[in-house]
Amino acid sequence: MGRNKLVMKKIENSTSRQQTYSKRKDSIVKKANELAVLCDTDVALLMFSPTGQLTSYSSRGSVEDIMLRVVNRPGELHRRPIPNEQYFSQRLAQLKYESEMVEKIAMLTRRSLISSIKD
Amino acid sequence: MGRNKLVMKKIENSTSRQQTYSKRKDSIVKKANELAVLCDTDVALLMFSPTGQLTSYSSRGSVEDIMLRVVNRPGELHRRPIPNEQYFSQRLAQLKYESEMVEKIAMLTRRSLISSIKD
DNA sequence: CCGGCTATTTATAACGT
DNA sequence: TACGTTATAAATAGCCG
């Protein structure tokens, strides 16, 4: 929308990029909320700004509540029609990777080498 | 938009509600993707349909990747304390459970006892 | 239930302050 | 750098098949 048709590629000018992010972020949160209200559904949105700041939206309860609902639905995350061997092996690899990451982060936290995760 | 201005409340007619969900879901995924591309950022979207079906979108990597980034960010918009031992152990247990479930489902699928995952 | 088809409403790109 | 303004691109409500 707007004066000119926008090309769908990264906006190179950092100022314009940040401004566009700010505007569109607000709009998409609004859209998410409309979807949740109109259709009486649960919606969650997670967005990182170009500078790394997180904006989250959840139509009901905390973002974690919805994330937990998602995590507790193995095999359905991406609405795969009929799961096949490739899907299962990829999914298992993904879960293994995540477990390793969690363990690494836990270890680092124990050692107090970090107190927060940065970009 | 559309022929009439829409009132922001739950659509009572279930057919209309489902149709509206379907259309708007697609649009918001498109918007999320535009935001990610234009602004070179990470975005994740989680939406449950009126019938409970999940649609997820992630601009980069898996939805879990972005959820992990969110969970591991103390002091951001939705605030969460620094991850502690309990969180890590619970998360690991969850991942282990998921892996086991995926393996079970894979085995069942191999045996052709089921052909798709249902709610 | 899934796609088209407009009339209208919204969102927003480019400017302006 | 953050807000308004406006012309124009997009999204979409109500219908139809």
Side-chain angles (χ1 to χ4, degrees):
Chain A
M1 313 147 192
R3 299 304 179 88
N4 294 319
K5 177 166 179 160
L6 188 59
V7 181
M8 268 298 289
K9 64 184 290 290
K10 176 177 176 180
I11 297 169
E12 293 303 332
N13 181 287
S14 65
T15 302
S16 300
R17 188 167 63 245
Q18 180 63 49
Q19 287 177 346
T20 294
Y21 175 82
S22 184
K23 283 187 181 180
R24 281 176 174 259
K25 164 182 66 64
D26 292 342
S27 297
I28 204 169
V29 168
K30 185 182 175 187
K31 288 282 184 188
N33 187 57
E34 288 178 356
L35 182 67
V37 171
L38 292 173
C39 303
D40 191 33
T41 59
D42 294 335
V43 177
L45 241 184
L46 306 170
M47 299 172 288
F48 287 90
S49 81
T51 57
Q53 184 175 53
L54 169 67
T55 295
S56 64
Y57 164 81
S58 173
S59 62
R60 170 177 163 276
S62 69
V63 170
E64 286 91 340
D65 289 337
I66 291 184
M67 292 196 296
L68 266 182
R69 277 190 66 187
V70 172
V71 165
N72 285 321
R73 293 169 86 94
E76 204 195 355
L77 249 196
H78 299 288
R79 267 221 289 174
R80 286 172 185 278
I82 300 176
N84 55 28
E85 282 297 327
Q86 186 181 28
Y87 165 70
F88 289 128
S89 60
Q90 285 178 352
R91 179 75 184 132
L92 284 173
Q94 177 65 43
L95 289 168
K96 183 182 176 186
Y97 167 76
E98 279 187 63
S99 297
E100 290 169 357
M101 287 302 292
V102 170
E103 282 174 343
K104 283 183 183 175
I105 293 168
M107 187 165 66
L108 287 172
T109 301
R110 281 183 210 111
R111 291 180 182 172
S112 298
L113 291 178
I114 57 171
S115 60
S116 64
I117 311 296
K118 294 180 181 176
D119 285 358
Chain B
M1 313 146 195
R3 300 304 178 87
N4 294 318
K5 178 164 177 164
L6 190 58
V7 181
M8 268 299 288
K9 65 184 289 291
K10 176 178 175 180
I11 297 169
E12 293 303 333
N13 182 285
S14 64
T15 302
S16 301
R17 187 167 64 249
Q18 180 62 50
Q19 286 177 346
T20 294
Y21 176 81
S22 184
K23 282 186 180 180
R24 282 175 173 259
K25 164 183 64 65
D26 292 341
S27 297
I28 203 169
V29 167
K30 184 181 174 188
K31 287 283 185 187
N33 186 58
E34 288 178 357
L35 182 68
V37 171
L38 292 173
C39 303
D40 192 30
T41 59
D42 293 337
V43 177
L45 241 185
L46 305 170
M47 300 172 287
F48 286 90
S49 81
T51 58
Q53 185 174 48
L54 171 65
T55 296
S56 65
Y57 164 81
S58 173
S59 63
R60 173 176 162 276
S62 70
V63 170
E64 287 94 335
D65 287 337
I66 292 184
M67 293 195 297
L68 262 182
R69 278 190 66 188
V70 171
V71 168
N72 287 319
R73 281 178 93 90
E76 284 285 351
L77 260 193
H78 81 293
R79 310 242 169 205
R80 187 188 186 84
I82 295 172
N84 55 29
E85 284 296 328
Q86 186 183 27
Y87 163 71
F88 290 128
S89 60
Q90 284 178 352
R91 179 71 185 136
L92 284 173
Q94 177 65 47
L95 290 168
K96 184 182 176 187
Y97 167 76
E98 278 187 67
S99 297
E100 291 169 356
M101 287 302 293
V102 170
E103 283 173 342
K104 282 183 184 176
I105 292 169
M107 189 165 63
L108 287 172
T109 300
R110 281 183 211 113
R111 292 179 183 172
S112 300
L113 292 178
I114 57 173
S115 62
S116 64
I117 310 296
K118 294 179 181 177
D119 282 1

